[in-house]
Amino acid sequence: MTIRVSEAEHAQSFQKAALPLLEDAQLRKNVRHATDVIQSKRGIVVGGTPDWQDLRTAGSAIKAHTLRYLDQYLLQFEKACTAAGGQVHWAGDADDANRIIVGLVQQYGGTEVIKIKTMTSEEIGLNEALDHAGIRAHETDLAEVIVQLGGDKSSHIVAPAVHKNRSQVRQIFRERMNLPDLGDDPEELTAAARHYLREKFLRVKVGVSGANFLVAETGSVCIVESEGNGRMCLTLPNVLISIAGIEKIIPRFEDMEVFLQLLPRSATGERMNPYNSLWTGVRNGDGPQHFHVVLLDNGRTGILADPESRQTLQCIRCGACLNTCPVYRQTGGHAYGSSYSGPIGAIVTPQLLQMRQAQSLPFASTLCGACYEVCPVKINIPEVLIHLRGRVVREQKSALDPEALAMKTAAAIFTSRTRFEAAQRLGRIAQWPMVSHGWMRNLPGLLGNWTRVRDLRELPKQTFREWWKARAKTGSMPGPSTPLRAARKLAQDVNDHA
Amino acid sequence: MRVSLFITCYNDTLFPATGQAVVHLIERLGHTVEFPLEQTCCGQMHYNTGYQQEAIPLMRRFVDIFRDAEAVCIPSSSCVAMIRDHYPKMAAESSDPGLTRAVDELLPRIYELTELLVHCFGLEDVGAYFPHRVTYHASCHSQRSLHLGDLPLRLLRNVRGIDLVDLPNIDRCCGFGGTFAIKMGDISAAMLAEKMKDVENTGAEVVTAVDTSCLMHIFGGLHRARAGVRMAHIAEILAPTESDVGEGAWA
Ligand code: SF4
């Protein structure tokens, strides 16, 4: 089984991939601006939803329940979808899914497809597979159009072109749509895109979509979007192929009540998406006459098998965790080397790849908890990150790795008071070659990463416990002057060296 | 009340002034401080970096040392978070019912410093005097794990002489993240740059928090930039009183 998540298996480590992005002032400004805007909109609509926490609890509970009985709900979905005239295909991995979809397009004699934004298709590299078979894929989501025409990668699971600003979009459209006089007025840009896309909507006979939700009870598929381009792809072609990870199932139609409140608020800061499309199988003479659903595993059952990180599969791909993440904010999505970026990308990508690759991703977080706070289905991302870090250490780190050695040594020190106190004394002696005027500015080894941008004060002459012991010995009362003296000295030092 | 102090390994080693301020503060409020010398580290660094096995003996030590304490005071929200959020699960996984029980019984007696002052002592005004322009950074664990809310700010607002200024993006992570600052040094630096800008824009001379670790990071950057802003753990602001300080002694 070859599991593929975009290009993550060949990607550089997060910290390396981040370097050129950190240099890109334009990209960083674009990402900061866009995520700030979405976040503040989200804050306002969530603030105006009094039962928000109850909704989160409900969303989380429904998803957890579904995952518990996923096998049954998947079969129920297959049955209902088939009964309504759809056809369900099961794909074990990315190659399976690509083979099925390419086969279907060829079966209907298609040489082109129009696509609604689907991260799952990016996960499996569908466009490349189609291209390989001589089939042209046209993205129709405006942001995906920008990414595709720019020969770029998406950098956000909801807003793939979040790293581009308007004038960069104009440049791409000017060059790729052959519109040398195009202005950067939003209306002009969307008009250009509309003109470019309408022709394809009317001509291309096969549509490919993802899915936000699959309803087991009715066999329905749901997609929410903002532009209406998705609606075009869902209604105009003769053939519609929808690809969805198996975790997209929800049990009952009425569960949509919860998710259609959670998702738009979290994703775009809207109370409702402008376009909510919901369809069940095939309807004679109305919309696509051939409908296929490809249910994708690609590592998901492996995640399901791990009770510690199963909650990862509750994700509804709203992107709220990306927008709030202080790490994502610095680099945008490209540093994650995967179609899934940000906090959710950091937990889902390495797990899909079964931890063989992308091992730096669980460490691409300060565990600040902002993601958990906003997640509409209460995925405790920091907890999963810690769990995955444990797996990386257990499964991948050799005992001779410098970090592993340092950690083992530290553990030995911390398990004994005598060793701890000896280490404190040793540190004070060993630091002298590195100290200058009371500060360390150039530490060796791993700690050098600290002093590249931060100073570190020299170890104090007396540890807290030495002070405590000395105080107990002399029997002196806790002189109020002691902390004061220390604080005064600190102020003095700052003044001396600042 | 007898308060057992868990000073934390890094405060003990690097920031004794924080511990001294905590002792001074608790004692001048009329309580007794104990400092069990066997204590070392709660295991947070190991646990969060993926060395969970190594954290287990550290949890056992902590529980053994503090199991009989009336109240445990910890001037570090991330260590409190380690204990509250992870010890129960670690104990459960150890399949040692005695340990699980000991953890369950100990947890309600664990207080972060500002929790101790407000929830346990029932004080929001500790009679402190600190005549400086101060800005408060709400560290991640204090906000999103301990849910301290405005507890620290309520204490700070009651300090005489203080000029407390709001920090923009008060609860955005400073980029420390323990070993993150080392492993992902460049990204951490970018996050730090944003935090430093926010701190400097307040015009404060002192940046404070309930975690010295975050402050070590923020101040490390500010000092490198010779920004002329210093750090003080919240205990160092709440400890001194007007009678402690001579004219201009803090200047
Ligand atoms: S993990 Fe939660 S916040 Fe992040 S994309 Fe998924 S549902 Fe949204």
Side-chain angles (χ1 to χ4, degrees):
Chain A
M1 181 130 141
T2 50
I3 290 163
R4 194 174 333 116
V5 184
S6 188
E7 282 148 14
E9 57 189 309
H10 308 295
Q12 293 175 305
S13 68
F14 182 84
Q15 54 273 46
K16 282 217 183 78
L19 292 177
L21 299 165
L22 290 175
E23 303 285 333
D24 190 337
Q26 182 67 68
L27 171 141
R28 291 182 63 187
K29 192 209 153 252
N30 297 347
V31 172
R32 279 200 302 266
H33 173 73
T35 51
D36 279 346
V37 169
I38 309 177
Q39 266 203 98
S40 74
K41 283 176 69 186
R42 178 199 168 273
I44 292 165
V45 292
V46 164
T49 310
D51 57 348
W52 181 248
Q53 295 307 335
D54 294 338
L55 281 168
R56 288 179 76 216
T57 306
S60 177
I62 295 169
K63 280 286 186 177
H65 164 87
T66 315
L67 291 171
R68 181 90 178 69
Y69 301 98
L70 190 59
D71 51 341
Q72 295 172 34
Y73 285 122
L74 282 166
L75 292 173
Q76 192 188 0
F77 174 81
E78 181 182 38
K79 211 168 151 201
C81 179
T82 312
Q87 204 181 324
V88 175
H89 309 260
W90 301 83
D93 62 17
D95 291 344
D96 273 358
N98 287 331
R99 212 177 302 119
I100 292 167
I101 297 173
V102 167
L104 286 170
V105 178
Q106 286 170 339
Q107 179 191 323
Y108 291 107
T111 54
E112 292 176 279
V113 300
I114 44 175
K115 287 181 69 199
I116 309 179
K117 178 179 157 296
T118 140
M119 297 316 291
T120 316
S121 90
E122 289 187 27
E123 170 188 331
I124 63 173
L126 178 63
N127 288 8
E128 292 75 15
L130 289 169
D131 188 53
H132 209 70
I135 299 162
R136 281 198 64 181
H138 304 286
E139 297 291 347
T140 68
D141 175 87
L142 184 55
E144 288 286 14
V145 171
I146 295 164
V147 167
Q148 187 177 38
L149 292 182
D152 202 354
K153 295 265 167 230
S154 70
S155 66
H156 188 289
I157 59 176
V158 171
V162 77
H163 58 294
K164 294 285 188 210
N165 70 8
R166 220 191 311 149
S167 56
Q168 292 170 303
V169 171
R170 170 172 79 158
Q171 200 49 38
I172 293 168
F173 282 9
R174 275 183 166 183
E175 286 167 18
R176 299 302 311 274
M177 293 178 182
N178 208 5
L179 298 168
D181 301 325
L182 187 67
D184 69 352
D185 175 71
E187 302 222 330
E188 233 179 299
L189 291 174
T190 44
R194 190 176 301 124
H195 181 76
Y196 167 84
L197 289 171
R198 284 278 154 100
E199 179 268 327
K200 297 186 171 55
F201 290 140
L202 294 171
R203 180 166 50 81
V204 179
K205 291 292 165 231
V206 182
V208 172
S209 86
N212 289 107
F213 305 103
L214 307 172
V215 184
E217 179 183 52
T218 57
S220 311
V221 183
C222 173
I223 282 196
V224 301
E225 40 130 9
S226 301
E227 297 162 357
N229 292 343
R231 176 71 59 82
M232 298 280 196
C233 294
L234 298 171
T235 49
L236 291 173
N238 186 39
V239 180
L240 175 60
I241 306 167
S242 301
I243 171 152
I246 51 176
E247 80 284 12
K248 292 286 170 71
I249 293 267
I250 55 173
R252 298 165 306 175
F253 194 81
E254 67 178 272
D255 297 328
M256 300 271 286
E257 179 212 338
V258 173
F259 293 106
L260 290 185
Q261 292 188 72
L262 288 173
L263 181 55
R265 284 172 174 79
S266 303
T268 48
E270 293 166 304
R271 283 178 302 155
M272 192 178 176
N273 283 98
Y275 292 87
N276 297 268
S277 302
L278 190 66
W279 69 98
T280 311
V282 170
R283 216 186 150 113
N284 229 337
D286 182 8
Q289 294 301 294
H290 306 277
F291 173 52
H292 297 265
V293 179
V294 180
L295 294 174
L296 178 74
D297 181 345
N298 204 36
R300 286 162 175 76
T301 44
I303 303 179
L304 195 60
D306 181 348
E308 300 256 7
S309 57
R310 183 177 297 157
Q311 52 178 317
T312 308
L313 294 176
Q314 292 183 190
C315 176
I316 57 172
R317 303 282 189 265
C318 72
C321 57
L322 282 67
N323 301 331
T324 194
C325 177
V327 173
Y328 177 90
R329 176 183 176 79
Q330 308 302 334
T331 63
H334 290 162
Y336 297 77
S338 161
S339 39
Y340 304 115
S341 54
I344 182 62
I347 60 172
V348 82
T349 306
Q351 290 191 81
L352 288 176
L353 292 169
Q354 312 204 316
M355 304 305 291
R356 280 176 290 119
Q357 281 94 14
Q359 288 167 24
S360 62
L361 291 183
F363 297 92
S365 164
T366 58
L367 307 177
C368 81
C371 45
Y372 181 28
E373 192 174 52
V374 297
C375 178
V377 287
K378 290 192 178 173
I379 302 174
N380 189 335
I381 296 180
E383 185 180 276
V384 179
L385 285 165
I386 291 172
H387 170 65
L388 297 178
R389 289 176 181 191
R391 278 180 60 184
V392 172
V393 167
R394 280 197 306 280
E395 295 168 18
Q396 325 283 348
K397 279 245 190 288
S398 106
L400 296 175
D401 177 89
E403 178 198 288
L405 282 173
M407 286 292 176
K408 299 263 184 247
T409 311
I413 290 169
F414 287 143
T415 43
S416 143
R417 169 185 165 186
T418 341
R419 285 196 290 268
F420 180 59
E421 291 178 356
Q424 288 182 323
R425 284 192 298 272
L426 182 68
R428 209 154 45 205
I429 298 163
Q431 68 174 343
W432 73 264
M434 290 160 307
V435 174
S436 149
H437 302 287
W439 289 86
M440 293 184 266
R441 300 200 161 107
N442 192 8
L443 288 169
L446 288 173
L447 290 175
N449 272 336
W450 180 272
T451 48
R452 272 198 298 138
V453 295
R454 309 163 197 86
D455 291 343
L456 185 66
R457 180 181 291 280
E458 69 177 329
L459 298 185
K461 303 279 172 282
Q462 196 182 35
T463 62
F464 174 78
R465 65 180 55 226
E466 285 163 347
W467 172 81
W468 179 270
K469 281 189 268 189
R471 191 178 82 136
K473 208 173 279 165
T474 58
S476 71
M477 276 311 288
S481 63
T482 310
L484 292 185
R485 223 183 295 130
R488 274 195 206 113
K489 183 180 175 308
L490 184 108
Q492 190 69 48
D493 282 0
V494 173
N495 289 340
D496 287 353
H497 296 290
Chain B
M1 178 175 256
R2 291 184 78 79
V3 178
S4 295
L5 177 62
F6 178 66
I7 189 61
T8 78
C9 58
Y10 66 92
N11 277 322
D12 186 356
T13 312
L14 298 169
F15 301 100
T18 296
Q20 290 158 16
V22 173
V23 173
H24 174 50
L25 173 61
I26 296 176
E27 288 181 344
R28 87 169 165 72
L29 294 173
H31 303 277
T32 314
V33 178
E34 280 177 348
F35 180 76
L37 282 161
E38 278 301 310
Q39 64 178 277
T40 56
C41 169
C42 67
Q44 180 186 193
M45 176 181 75
H46 285 93
Y47 191 85
N48 283 353
T49 313
Y51 295 82
Q52 280 107 18
Q53 281 309 313
E54 282 73 12
I56 293 169
L58 301 179
M59 165 180 69
R60 284 187 181 277
R61 290 189 90 246
F62 181 92
V63 174
D64 282 346
I65 294 166
F66 290 101
R67 67 194 320 153
D68 296 323
E70 190 180 345
V72 183
C73 171
I74 307 180
S76 164
S77 76
S78 69
C79 302
V80 175
M82 167 70 194
I83 292 162
R84 275 192 201 147
D85 294 350
H86 304 304
Y87 275 17
K89 184 169 154 237
M90 291 164 71
E93 279 165 9
S94 74
S95 27
D96 173 351
L99 183 61
T100 309
R101 204 176 326 115
V103 168
D104 285 351
E105 285 170 6
L106 179 54
L107 282 187
R109 285 174 282 139
I110 304 272
Y111 296 93
E112 182 279 327
L113 174 67
T114 62
E115 291 175 337
L116 181 82
L117 298 173
V118 179
H119 293 157
C120 202
F121 296 171
L123 294 170
E124 288 193 9
D125 182 349
V126 294
Y129 176 68
F130 194 79
H132 298 279
R133 191 168 170 96
V134 175
T135 195
Y136 170 74
H137 162 65
S139 60
C140 299
H141 287 99
S142 77
Q143 276 309 302
R144 288 178 286 270
S145 183
L146 273 54
H147 304 287
L148 290 187
D150 68 346
L151 225 60
L153 282 168
R154 264 148 53 193
L155 287 157
L156 288 171
R157 280 189 204 113
N158 284 315
V159 171
R160 319 283 183 274
I162 198 168
D163 174 12
L164 192 62
V165 259
D166 286 343
L167 180 66
N169 306 304
I170 178 171
D171 64 349
R172 179 182 290 156
C173 178
C174 71
F176 173 57
T179 48
F180 176 87
I182 304 282
K183 282 168 164 294
M184 304 270 168
D186 292 280
I187 300 129
S188 169
M191 295 163 75
L192 174 59
E194 282 199 296
K195 183 58 72 180
M196 282 164 58
K197 190 171 67 191
D198 284 340
V199 170
E200 289 182 82
N201 281 343
T202 64
E205 61 200 280
V206 178
V207 54
T208 190
V210 297
D211 291 77
T212 330
S213 49
C214 312
L215 289 173
M216 171 175 78
H217 175 70
I218 299 170
F219 178 52
L222 289 166
H223 189 270
R224 172 65 56 92
R226 310 299 191 269
V229 182
R230 69 180 167 98
M231 65 178 263
H233 184 274
I234 194 166
E236 293 167 60
I237 294 175
L238 299 178
T241 62
E242 213 148 351
S243 59
D244 287 338
V245 185
E247 262 283 289
W250 284 85

